[in-house]
Amino acid sequence: MTAQLRNPQEEPNFHKYLRSEVINTASEAVLGDPSTAGQFIITDGQLIQNANGIPLYAVVEDRANSTVVKLKMDWSTTPATSGTFVFSGDTLEWSNPAITRPQNNVSTVEGYGVK
């Protein structure tokens, strides 16, 4: 079973959905209209977008230093090598033992990323 992931935040991104910047390709993770929403599953801690039968894996960028609080997320044809995604109720969470965060939920401001 796959799911669409909607942004839970307020305007301007309320009711926008996760997808690839360039639909169904390895590119930046962004928010878009429901009609362009991607389809996702989590398998073995990997958030996977079904891009017309081709798996695209969510990869969260490495943290440059301890002051960085928002990490960019991209789609890749190869699995992520760090971090773990899980669904917790209707919330998407990402954790990495090397990074301490006050909450594990994935949040968005402009585009999609881990904050």
Side-chain angles (χ1 to χ4, degrees):
M1 180 176 90
T2 61
Q4 292 180 326
L5 299 176
R6 180 175 57 86
N7 180 26
Q9 306 297 320
E10 297 179 9
E11 296 296 340
N13 292 323
F14 190 63
H15 289 296
K16 296 218 176 164
Y17 290 76
L18 183 60
R19 66 174 180 87
S20 297
E21 182 177 37
V22 179
I23 305 283
N24 292 325
T25 65
S27 56
E28 187 175 342
V30 297
L31 297 172
D33 295 327
S35 64
T36 62
Q39 297 288 319
F40 306 92
I41 60 170
I42 294 178
T43 302
D44 297 327
Q46 299 280 334
L47 177 63
I48 304 169
Q49 179 182 180
N50 178 358
N52 288 331
I54 298 168
L56 296 178
Y57 301 88
V59 176
V60 177
E61 73 178 340
D62 290 332
R63 190 173 182 181
N65 61 58
S66 62
T67 65
V68 175
V69 295
K70 183 176 180 195
L71 302 174
K72 182 180 167 193
M73 190 170 89
D74 292 309
W75 298 104
S76 173
T77 55
T78 57
T81 57
S82 65
T84 302
F85 285 94
V86 297
F87 286 122
S88 177
D90 63 355
T91 301
L92 177 63
E93 296 183 349
W94 179 84
S95 62
N96 180 333
I99 299 174
T100 302
R101 301 171 50 221
Q103 297 179 34
N104 285 336
N105 60 308
V106 175
S107 63
T108 62
V109 180
E110 302 264 335
Y112 226 80
V114 173
K115 183 174 180 184

